[in-house]
Amino acid sequence: MPIASEDIDQHGLVIGVSPERFREVAMPLLFDHLDAQCEGTIAVNRQARIVWINDKYAEKVGIADPRSVLGQEIEQVLPASRLREVVQNGQPSMLDLMAFGDEHFVVTRIPLRDADGTLVGALGFVLFDRARHLQPVMAKYNQLQSQLAATQRELAKARRARYTIAGFIGASAAASEVKRQARRTAQLDATVLLRGETGTGKELLAQGIHNLSLRANGPFVAVNVAAIPESLVEAELFGTAPGAFTGAERRARPGKFELADGGTLFLDEIGDLPLPLQAKLLRVLQEQEVEPLGSNQVKALNVRVIAATHVDLEAKVASGQFREDLYYRLNVLALRLPPLRERREDLPALLEHLLDDIASRSGQPPLELATDALQLLQAQPWPGNVRELRNLLERAQLLADAGSLGASSLAGLLVDPRPAAAPTTPAQTITPTTGEVRPLADSLAAAERQAILAALAACDGNRTRAAERLGIARASLYNKLQAHGL
């Protein structure tokens, strides 16, 4: 029964009508008003299937007959609709932007409940067509969308592997064999373990394997396990749930495994993975699912793992520092990268490639090496392999005069990282020698560099043990390695 005119006083207030009666009469009027003023209205049931759509909305989205979409799931008609979320959580969405084709609609969504409060569906209203009433907001929104798209493109580019197997320079028997094995490995979607001394090109080969595999269009994510503080390794690899620990972000943070989903994850220095996390890594490899730190939900993954190490994993297994079951899970396809001293015939080609690359990056003309300089380099043991060779050439490029670089000039740049042998003669008094006196800062830097090299050599390149021997934190050691160009 409608409200009569005599029930309304001079101020427009309803008199003598109960609140229930008022809601009963007012709600249909409110709906009719919204339906008339809005650019479109749609309703879904508890299963998020369309039960009603008005003619204006149907025309706006190109539906000739509104009855033709009744019973369809809302996403089939409006892919960007979030009415299903409103039905599921019962929470209204008072103001939102919904994309449809090249347009954006300003919409509101409200849940529908029956008399006893049971959720029965949801209503969606298009408040403004093409958001023409919100031009300043839309301009800012479009700007942010453009910035987000540019950032996503840069991230995707950063997670692309740059190198191919052909980038592993060398035509020696050892180099040719490792490239042959790498090409075969690329066709097999199994876990790979790359073994070799530091500086032999393990990450380069990992990128080459990825680029030749069926995952080439997916991301390539590299992480150096030894470079992450032990307390953060789990969060970096497996991600964190919101507020997982004190200081953690309030939103979920994906780990490296999630970032590599659909592609390849390169785990360098896998031998330095803390023992408590080795069991979790084993489960991820076996089940292809990850459980973020602080979460009780697992996420399915599709990731290929390529691990690398320069340490003797078998010795670590024997000493209880590395899980035997994880070792076998990683050692499915194993490739050994030969050190530079085992393929000296590749040195001329490597020198040509490195000198051209260094010159290109520095903007200087390529450095020329005299015959005696090449012979000197051929005779070196190269414990740091190609990385050490590149470091030497970069310093030579910066310090050398124009023209050819001879052996005499190059000899002063060579550094023997091995610790000095213990004296075989009784200790004697050392008297200062005359000659040029270097600044104290240079002498201290040289002594520090020599001490770091000696510690690394004594610890077989293990940075953690080298830092302990030097009495400094591992992070400090990494800073010093970078400062000294090591």
Side-chain angles (χ1 to χ4, degrees):
M1 176 179 172
I3 300 175
S5 59
E6 57 269 21
D7 293 328
I8 302 176
D9 66 12
Q10 59 179 342
H11 301 294
L13 299 176
V14 180
I15 56 177
V17 178
S18 67
E20 293 77 11
R21 174 61 182 154
F22 179 79
R23 284 196 298 269
E24 180 183 347
V25 174
M27 291 306 294
L29 293 176
L30 176 61
F31 176 80
D32 291 341
H33 176 74
L34 284 173
D35 186 36
Q37 295 298 318
C38 293
E39 300 290 340
T41 311
I42 192 169
V44 298
N45 63 11
R46 190 68 180 83
Q47 289 73 41
R49 294 183 178 274
I50 299 172
V51 295
W52 179 74
I53 180 173
N54 70 356
D55 294 338
K56 285 192 296 184
Y57 209 156
E59 182 180 356
K60 190 177 302 298
V61 297
I63 300 172
D65 182 7
R67 293 173 297 180
S68 65
V69 299
L70 299 182
Q72 294 186 25
E73 294 186 349
I74 184 65
E75 294 84 4
Q76 294 179 270
V77 179
L78 300 172
S81 174
R82 297 174 62 185
L83 279 174
R84 184 182 296 276
E85 294 181 21
V86 177
V87 172
Q88 290 175 344
N89 60 33
Q91 298 298 316
S93 176
M94 302 310 297
L95 192 65
D96 196 9
L97 290 173
M98 185 185 76
F100 186 83
D102 296 330
E103 298 179 300
H104 285 86
F105 299 155
V106 180
V107 299
T108 187
R109 310 179 185 97
I110 57 175
L112 287 176
R113 301 181 184 275
D114 61 13
D116 60 1
T118 303
L119 192 65
V120 296
L123 273 174
F125 299 96
V126 177
L127 300 180
F128 303 123
D129 184 13
R130 300 181 181 86
R132 61 179 179 272
H133 300 290
L134 297 175
Q135 287 303 322
V137 176
M138 285 302 300
K140 183 67 173 178
Y141 173 80
N142 290 331
Q143 180 184 4
L144 292 174
Q145 286 290 96
S146 299
Q147 293 175 352
L148 176 62
T151 302
Q152 289 175 332
R153 287 193 298 270
E154 289 299 318
L155 282 174
K157 183 179 179 181
R159 290 178 183 139
R160 295 288 180 187
R162 295 175 295 163
Y163 302 111
T164 63
I165 294 176
F168 191 88
I169 306 298
S172 64
S176 299
E177 175 61 18
V178 76
K179 287 190 282 188
R180 183 194 69 80
Q181 293 179 5
R183 292 189 179 96
R184 179 174 176 273
T185 299
Q187 308 308 311
L188 306 172
D189 198 37
T191 306
V192 182
L193 180 61
L194 302 178
R195 311 188 67 162
E197 297 177 5
T198 179
T200 51
K202 295 187 286 295
E203 182 169 353
L204 184 151
L205 204 62
Q207 292 193 24
I209 292 172
H210 169 81
N211 274 332
L212 198 60
S213 71
L214 297 177
R215 298 175 178 268
N217 293 326
F220 178 89
V221 178
V223 54
N224 188 316
V225 176
I228 307 173
E230 188 170 332
S231 59
L232 297 179
V233 173
E234 183 174 8
E236 283 293 316
L237 292 182
F238 309 119
T240 60
F245 52 88
T246 303
E249 298 181 35
R250 294 188 177 183
R251 58 183 177 85
R253 184 176 183 273
K256 295 298 189 290
F257 270 96
E258 287 186 67
L259 295 177
D261 193 20
T264 302
L265 177 63
F266 176 61
L267 296 176
D268 199 7
E269 304 291 2
I270 190 65
D272 288 339
L273 184 68
L275 193 61
L277 293 181
Q278 293 177 20
K280 189 164 186 176
L281 174 60
L282 177 64
R283 178 171 177 78
V284 173
L285 294 176
Q286 289 178 337
E287 306 298 333
Q288 281 288 294
E289 60 185 25
V290 64
E291 183 177 348
L293 179 64
S295 174
N296 56 6
Q297 295 182 341
V298 296
K299 299 180 180 180
L301 297 173
N302 179 19
V303 177
R304 183 188 197 181
V305 170
I306 299 179
T309 183
H310 72 279
V311 301
D312 188 346
L313 283 185
E314 288 81 6
K316 282 208 160 195
V317 170
S319 64
Q321 295 177 292
F322 202 84
R323 291 179 63 104
E324 185 176 10
D325 46 6
L326 178 58
Y327 167 76
Y328 289 122
R329 191 65 186 81
L330 291 171
N331 198 32
V332 178
L333 297 171
L335 276 73
R336 177 185 175 273
L337 280 68
L340 192 53
R341 61 184 174 275
E342 292 183 8
R343 53 185 191 104
R344 296 181 186 276
E345 56 267 46
D346 292 331
L347 197 61
L350 269 170
L351 288 170
E352 181 181 7
H353 171 78
L354 292 174
L355 288 172
D356 287 346
D357 185 61
I358 293 170
S360 175
R361 292 172 183 266
S362 64
Q364 297 177 326
L367 188 66
E368 297 291 336
L369 296 180
T371 302
D372 59 346
L374 177 59
Q375 294 173 345
L376 176 64
L377 295 179
Q378 290 273 22
Q380 299 305 308
W382 300 117
N385 296 289
V386 179
R387 184 177 292 118
E388 181 186 0
L389 175 62
R390 183 184 183 95
N391 175 266
L392 172 71
L393 296 177
E394 285 177 339
R395 288 185 290 133
Q397 177 80 60
L398 294 174
L399 300 175
D401 297 327
S404 179
L405 183 68
S408 57
S409 300
L410 201 58
L413 299 175
L414 291 170
V415 176
D416 186 1
R418 293 168 297 181
T424 55
T425 57
Q428 55 184 348
T429 303
I430 301 176
T431 57
T433 58
T434 59
E436 181 184 358
V437 178
R438 293 193 299 171
L440 180 60
D442 291 349
S443 299
L444 291 174
E448 182 180 73
R449 189 177 194 277
Q450 189 65 30
I452 291 172
L453 290 171
L456 288 171
C459 298
D460 297 326
N462 187 298
R463 294 172 175 82
T464 300
R465 286 192 287 137
E468 292 175 354
R469 179 166 293 195
L470 291 168
I472 60 176
R474 187 168 63 172
S476 299
L477 176 59
Y478 281 111
N479 291 335
K480 292 180 184 297
L481 288 172
Q482 186 176 7
H484 290 293
L486 300 175

Tab-separated table of all heavy atoms in Angstrom, residues 333-352:
chain	number	residue	atom	x	y	z
A	333	LEU	N	71.339	-33.767	-14.045
A	333	LEU	CA	72.175	-33.512	-15.215
A	333	LEU	C	73.344	-32.649	-14.741
A	333	LEU	O	73.142	-31.508	-14.331
A	333	LEU	CB	71.390	-32.783	-16.305
A	333	LEU	CG	70.198	-33.534	-16.905
A	333	LEU	CD1	69.398	-32.614	-17.811
A	333	LEU	CD2	70.683	-34.745	-17.691
A	334	ALA	N	74.547	-33.195	-14.766
A	334	ALA	CA	75.711	-32.479	-14.235
A	334	ALA	C	76.662	-32.114	-15.371
A	334	ALA	O	76.960	-32.939	-16.234
A	334	ALA	CB	76.435	-33.329	-13.195
A	335	LEU	N	77.097	-30.867	-15.372
A	335	LEU	CA	78.077	-30.402	-16.352
A	335	LEU	C	79.267	-29.806	-15.611
A	335	LEU	O	79.085	-29.015	-14.685
A	335	LEU	CB	77.485	-29.326	-17.269
A	335	LEU	CG	76.676	-29.774	-18.490
A	335	LEU	CD1	75.325	-30.308	-18.066
A	335	LEU	CD2	76.496	-28.616	-19.456
A	336	ARG	N	80.453	-30.187	-16.024
A	336	ARG	CA	81.674	-29.624	-15.435
A	336	ARG	C	82.273	-28.624	-16.405
A	336	ARG	O	82.540	-28.954	-17.566
A	336	ARG	CB	82.694	-30.714	-15.134
A	336	ARG	CG	84.011	-30.174	-14.583
A	336	ARG	CD	85.045	-31.265	-14.406
A	336	ARG	NE	86.341	-30.716	-13.983
A	336	ARG	CZ	87.264	-30.276	-14.817
A	336	ARG	NH1	87.061	-30.345	-16.137
A	336	ARG	NH2	88.409	-29.793	-14.356
A	337	LEU	N	82.454	-27.395	-15.923
A	337	LEU	CA	83.045	-26.359	-16.759
A	337	LEU	C	84.554	-26.354	-16.553
A	337	LEU	O	85.023	-26.238	-15.417
A	337	LEU	CB	82.466	-24.984	-16.423
A	337	LEU	CG	81.098	-24.654	-17.024
A	337	LEU	CD1	80.003	-25.512	-16.413
A	337	LEU	CD2	80.770	-23.182	-16.860
A	338	PRO	N	85.326	-26.484	-17.612
A	338	PRO	CA	86.788	-26.584	-17.452
A	338	PRO	C	87.388	-25.252	-17.058
A	338	PRO	O	86.949	-24.186	-17.506
A	338	PRO	CB	87.250	-26.991	-18.861
A	338	PRO	CG	86.202	-26.445	-19.773
A	338	PRO	CD	84.905	-26.545	-19.016
A	339	PRO	N	88.409	-25.260	-16.190
A	339	PRO	CA	89.105	-24.008	-15.854
A	339	PRO	C	89.926	-23.532	-17.052
A	339	PRO	O	90.204	-24.291	-17.991
A	339	PRO	CB	89.989	-24.406	-14.679
A	339	PRO	CG	90.211	-25.875	-14.843
A	339	PRO	CD	88.955	-26.417	-15.462
A	340	LEU	N	90.323	-22.287	-16.993
A	340	LEU	CA	91.033	-21.684	-18.125
A	340	LEU	C	92.368	-22.369	-18.384
A	340	LEU	O	92.802	-22.470	-19.542
A	340	LEU	CB	91.248	-20.191	-17.838
A	340	LEU	CG	91.707	-19.307	-18.995
A	340	LEU	CD1	90.793	-19.469	-20.208
A	340	LEU	CD2	91.758	-17.857	-18.556
A	341	ARG	N	93.014	-22.857	-17.340
A	341	ARG	CA	94.323	-23.502	-17.524
A	341	ARG	C	94.206	-24.819	-18.284
A	341	ARG	O	95.210	-25.331	-18.776
A	341	ARG	CB	94.997	-23.729	-16.173
A	341	ARG	CG	94.222	-24.628	-15.234
A	341	ARG	CD	94.893	-24.743	-13.880
A	341	ARG	NE	94.067	-25.507	-12.939
A	341	ARG	CZ	93.101	-24.963	-12.212
A	341	ARG	NH1	92.839	-23.677	-12.308
A	341	ARG	NH2	92.397	-25.720	-11.381
A	342	GLU	N	92.986	-25.383	-18.391
A	342	GLU	CA	92.790	-26.622	-19.140
A	342	GLU	C	92.398	-26.361	-20.589
A	342	GLU	O	92.214	-27.302	-21.356
A	342	GLU	CB	91.708	-27.479	-18.462
A	342	GLU	CG	92.118	-28.025	-17.107
A	342	GLU	CD	91.053	-28.925	-16.510
A	342	GLU	OE1	90.070	-29.246	-17.230
A	342	GLU	OE2	91.180	-29.297	-15.321
A	343	ARG	N	92.270	-25.095	-20.961
A	343	ARG	CA	91.941	-24.772	-22.355
A	343	ARG	C	92.692	-23.497	-22.772
A	343	ARG	O	92.093	-22.523	-23.226
A	343	ARG	CB	90.437	-24.626	-22.544
A	343	ARG	CG	89.731	-23.661	-21.616
A	343	ARG	CD	88.221	-23.693	-21.816
A	343	ARG	NE	87.512	-22.628	-21.137
A	343	ARG	CZ	87.011	-21.551	-21.740
A	343	ARG	NH1	87.151	-21.414	-23.063
A	343	ARG	NH2	86.371	-20.628	-21.066
A	344	ARG	N	93.996	-23.542	-22.588
A	344	ARG	CA	94.811	-22.366	-22.881
A	344	ARG	C	94.737	-21.971	-24.348
A	344	ARG	O	94.978	-20.803	-24.697
A	344	ARG	CB	96.270	-22.623	-22.474
A	344	ARG	CG	96.460	-22.827	-20.973
A	344	ARG	CD	97.931	-23.054	-20.626
A	344	ARG	NE	98.115	-23.393	-19.221
A	344	ARG	CZ	98.200	-22.502	-18.229
A	344	ARG	NH1	98.111	-21.213	-18.507
A	344	ARG	NH2	98.363	-22.900	-16.979
A	345	GLU	N	94.445	-22.932	-25.239
A	345	GLU	CA	94.362	-22.598	-26.664
A	345	GLU	C	93.197	-21.659	-26.973
A	345	GLU	O	93.142	-21.065	-28.057
A	345	GLU	CB	94.245	-23.868	-27.507
A	345	GLU	CG	93.081	-24.772	-27.154
A	345	GLU	CD	93.430	-25.857	-26.163
A	345	GLU	OE1	94.096	-25.539	-25.156
A	345	GLU	OE2	93.035	-27.012	-26.390
A	346	ASP	N	92.248	-21.527	-26.002
A	346	ASP	CA	91.129	-20.598	-26.194
A	346	ASP	C	91.480	-19.178	-25.794
A	346	ASP	O	90.669	-18.257	-25.997
A	346	ASP	CB	89.918	-21.052	-25.364
A	346	ASP	CG	89.320	-22.341	-25.880
A	346	ASP	OD1	89.431	-22.601	-27.090
A	346	ASP	OD2	88.725	-23.079	-25.064
A	347	LEU	N	92.677	-18.980	-25.217
A	347	LEU	CA	93.026	-17.658	-24.675
A	347	LEU	C	93.033	-16.555	-25.733
A	347	LEU	O	92.497	-15.465	-25.485
A	347	LEU	CB	94.373	-17.734	-23.952
A	347	LEU	CG	94.680	-16.567	-23.002
A	347	LEU	CD1	93.626	-16.493	-21.900
A	347	LEU	CD2	96.062	-16.719	-22.390
A	348	PRO	N	93.618	-16.765	-26.937
A	348	PRO	CA	93.587	-15.685	-27.943
A	348	PRO	C	92.159	-15.248	-28.303
A	348	PRO	O	91.895	-14.040	-28.399
A	348	PRO	CB	94.304	-16.300	-29.143
A	348	PRO	CG	95.218	-17.325	-28.546
A	348	PRO	CD	94.460	-17.892	-27.401
A	349	ALA	N	91.260	-16.192	-28.496
A	349	ALA	CA	89.880	-15.830	-28.825
A	349	ALA	C	89.204	-15.114	-27.654
A	349	ALA	O	88.451	-14.148	-27.856
A	349	ALA	CB	89.087	-17.084	-29.204
A	350	LEU	N	89.484	-15.578	-26.444
A	350	LEU	CA	88.926	-14.918	-25.268
A	350	LEU	C	89.459	-13.496	-25.127
A	350	LEU	O	88.697	-12.556	-24.821
A	350	LEU	CB	89.273	-15.721	-24.008
A	350	LEU	CG	88.284	-16.785	-23.561
A	350	LEU	CD1	88.892	-17.640	-22.462
A	350	LEU	CD2	86.989	-16.159	-23.089
A	351	LEU	N	90.753	-13.318	-25.351
A	351	LEU	CA	91.345	-11.991	-25.251
A	351	LEU	C	90.726	-11.032	-26.262
A	351	LEU	O	90.401	-9.883	-25.936
A	351	LEU	CB	92.851	-12.072	-25.453
A	351	LEU	CG	93.656	-12.701	-24.305
A	351	LEU	CD1	95.090	-12.950	-24.737
A	351	LEU	CD2	93.629	-11.799	-23.078
A	352	GLU	N	90.549	-11.488	-27.470
A	352	GLU	CA	89.952	-10.634	-28.506
A	352	GLU	C	88.530	-10.220	-28.121
A	352	GLU	O	88.159	-9.048	-28.230
A	352	GLU	CB	89.940	-11.370	-29.845
A	352	GLU	CG	89.355	-10.543	-30.984
A	352	GLU	CD	89.341	-11.307	-32.293
A	352	GLU	OE1	89.669	-12.518	-32.292
A	352	GLU	OE2	88.984	-10.713	-33.317
